[in-house]
Amino acid sequence: QRGARKMADGHSAGVLSGAEFKAAETKLREERRREAAAMDPSESGAHAATVYRDRRTGKAINLADEAARIEAEREKKAQEAREQFEWGRGTKQKEAEADARAELKAVANEPFARRADDPKLEKMRRDVIRDGDPMADYIRQSRAQEEEKATPAESRRPVYKGPPPPPNRFGIRPGYRWDGVDRGNGWEQKLQNHA
C-alpha cells in the first residue's frame, strides 16, 4: 500500500482494514499536533483576544465603546420619556407643582410650632371656601373678577354672559355664542335627577 493514492484527509484510498485505518489515523493526528505546536502563535491565533463583531455589518466593535453607546442611547430614551411627560402636563399643573415646592421650602425654614396669630396660617384658612358659607358665591365672583383683571384683555377668551345654563354632569359652561335654548332630549336632566 505504499504506492496507494492518498485522499484529501491524508488516508489511503481504497479498502482498509480496521487496524490499518487506526494506525493511519493515529499517525495523521500526531503529524497535525506537531504542526500546530510548531506554528507561530500569531498565525494560529493562540492566546488571542476575542474579537466581537456587529451582527449586521460584521465590523469589529470595541466593547467599552459599545457599552458607552448603549448607555447613551438608554439615557436619551429616558430623557425623551421625561420630556414627553412634561409635554403631557398643563401649565397649571406645573405652576401648582412649583408653588408646592416653594411652600415646602418656606415651611422648612419656619419654626416647628405655628402660633395662632401666624399671618400665613390665617390667610390660608381664609382662602378656603367651605360648603354652606353664605359669602361663598361672592368670594368666587370677586376672585373671578380679580383673575379677569390680572389677565391681559387680548389673551382673555369671550365667556357666555346670558341666563344660567342647565347643569350638566361635567360642569362644562356653554360657549359664548350660545343663545340660551336647551336643545337636549332631557336625558342629561334625567341623569341629574336620578343622582
Side-chain angles (χ1 to χ4, degrees):
Q1 292 214 356
R2 290 179 187 258
R5 292 175 42 185
K6 298 279 185 185
M7 293 189 295
D9 64 353
H11 287 284
S12 298
V15 180
L16 300 173
S17 69
E20 289 173 332
F21 182 83
K22 185 176 181 182
E25 181 67 21
T26 307
K27 183 180 170 188
L28 284 172
R29 283 188 182 169
E30 184 62 29
E31 284 177 21
R32 287 185 190 136
R33 190 188 60 74
R34 268 189 269 117
E35 285 175 9
M39 194 182 287
D40 185 25
S42 63
E43 289 180 22
S44 68
H47 312 297
T50 306
V51 176
Y52 295 95
R53 298 189 176 275
D54 187 359
R55 289 181 186 200
R56 282 171 274 152
T57 62
K59 291 182 180 177
I61 55 174
N62 184 350
L63 284 183
D65 293 345
E66 188 66 15
R69 186 188 65 78
I70 289 171
E71 184 60 34
E73 205 171 273
R74 188 178 295 129
E75 182 59 34
K76 183 180 176 188
K77 283 184 182 177
Q79 178 65 26
E80 286 175 0
R82 283 193 295 269
E83 287 175 4
Q84 185 67 33
F85 178 72
E86 285 295 318
W87 291 338
R89 299 170 64 216
T91 54
K92 283 285 188 186
Q93 286 88 343
K94 289 178 188 175
E95 287 173 8
E97 191 176 298
D99 290 345
R101 266 195 244 111
E103 179 67 25
L104 276 174
K105 278 186 179 179
V107 169
N109 294 333
E110 291 179 0
F112 181 71
R114 285 186 173 178
R115 297 184 351 190
D117 61 343
D118 184 13
K120 282 186 182 177
L121 184 62
E122 185 64 25
K123 183 181 183 325
M124 188 175 73
R125 286 179 180 162
R126 285 184 184 204
D127 286 346
V128 174
I129 298 176
R130 294 174 184 79
D131 286 337
D133 186 357
M135 295 292 286
D137 290 336
Y138 173 75
I139 293 170
R140 282 192 197 102
Q141 285 177 353
S142 63
R143 285 186 186 168
Q145 287 174 355
E146 286 173 15
E147 279 185 27
E148 202 171 300
K149 288 176 185 173
T151 56
E154 60 271 2
S155 70
R156 259 185 272 135
R157 292 190 170 178
V159 181
Y160 173 72
K161 292 185 174 115
N168 60 58
R169 61 199 148 129
F170 302 115
I172 300 171
R173 296 186 321 208
Y176 74 99
R177 290 191 176 116
W178 186 52
D179 59 0
V181 178
D182 184 8
R183 292 179 177 82
N185 60 6
W187 188 84
E188 196 77 30
Q189 185 62 38
K190 194 186 293 183
L191 192 69
Q192 290 283 334
N193 293 340
H194 183 69

